[in-house]
Amino acid sequence: MLSEYRQRFSQFQTDLHREEYLFRSGRKTICETAYIYSEYLDLFRLSAVEELRAKLSETAEYRETEARSIRRLIAFALENHLAMRARDVSAEVERYETNAQITLSGEQVSFRRSAELLAHEADANRRHDLYARRADVIHGAQDLRAERFRILHEGAQELGFENYVAMRCELRGVDCEKLVAQANQILAKTESRYVAALS
């Protein structure tokens, strides 16, 4: 079961990344990741998670690399199980962002393309203006994003986690509180230099 799951996982990753590349590079006008996810639904079923957990429990203690690999597959399966529950709302956000246009110097630019323009804009005023226009587009779908997060949060609770963030932290082995504390230390140490350099 495990080797078959890994093969399907690998093929899913290949198909998904190929589709995203073709869409984001402009070679396809429609991103068909929903179709790819539907072709690999077996990877996200809770029955697959249970089988992976059984394989994990059978794994000898000294085989740490194998156990870590299986835990990552479990995390992948659970996260995508929840993502499938929110797929309709996620698709709406995707459609909204795909169709969104930003007016820049009298020219219509797609929301997706504006990210690239923002990354390469040297003029601070133009960069600020473009950032604000992108923020307006993002704000237009905040209700959809909130609905998506609600679905993920409730799904994580149904799976026995406190919430979606707690689920991600546990599955990925990340201590979020420790990470926040470390980030706050870095910010405190660098804030005065950052403000001085910015001004």
Side-chain angles (χ1 to χ4, degrees), residues 141-155:
Q142 285 301 79
D143 58 334
L144 292 172
R145 287 187 181 87
E147 175 62 13
R148 181 178 186 273
F149 189 73
R150 183 192 64 74
I151 292 168
L152 295 174
H153 176 73
E154 289 177 0

Side-chain angles (χ1 to χ4, degrees), residues 35-165:
Y35 171 76
I36 292 168
Y37 274 90
S38 69
E39 288 294 302
Y40 290 92
L41 276 177
D42 56 302
L43 295 176
F44 321 131
R45 291 203 171 95
L46 292 179
S47 58
V49 173
E50 292 310 313
E51 288 180 35
L52 288 168
R53 283 180 173 153
K55 288 291 182 190
L56 180 61
S57 68
E58 295 168 7
T59 304
E61 215 174 287
Y62 68 89
R63 299 191 66 194
E64 294 173 23
T65 304
E66 178 72 1
R68 191 177 312 118
S69 169
I70 296 170
R71 280 191 206 93
R72 287 184 178 159
L73 291 174
I74 291 169
F76 162 82
L78 285 173
E79 289 166 359
N80 282 286
H81 173 76
L82 292 185
M84 292 305 293
R85 290 178 69 162
R87 69 178 171 232
D88 292 340
V89 178
S90 297
E92 275 190 69
V93 172
E94 184 75 27
R95 275 192 300 276
Y96 169 79
E97 290 183 353
T98 298
N99 296 324
Q101 298 285 314
I102 293 174
T103 304
L104 191 62
S105 302
E107 181 185 336
Q108 290 290 94
V109 176
S110 73
F111 175 73
R112 299 256 184 235
R113 174 124 166 59
S114 69
E116 178 186 337
L117 295 173
L118 182 63
H120 293 95
E121 180 56 61
D123 182 82
N125 290 329
R126 286 177 51 90
R127 201 168 48 245
H128 179 74
D129 179 53
L130 181 52
Y131 180 85
R133 291 170 192 261
R134 282 181 52 79
D136 287 343
V137 170
I138 291 167
H139 183 73
Q142 285 301 79
D143 58 334
L144 292 172
R145 287 187 181 87
E147 175 62 13
R148 181 178 186 273
F149 189 73
R150 183 192 64 74
I151 292 168
L152 295 174
H153 176 73
E154 289 177 0
Q157 287 180 322
E158 289 172 20
L159 292 171
F161 297 93
E162 183 182 341
N163 56 46
Y164 182 66
V165 175

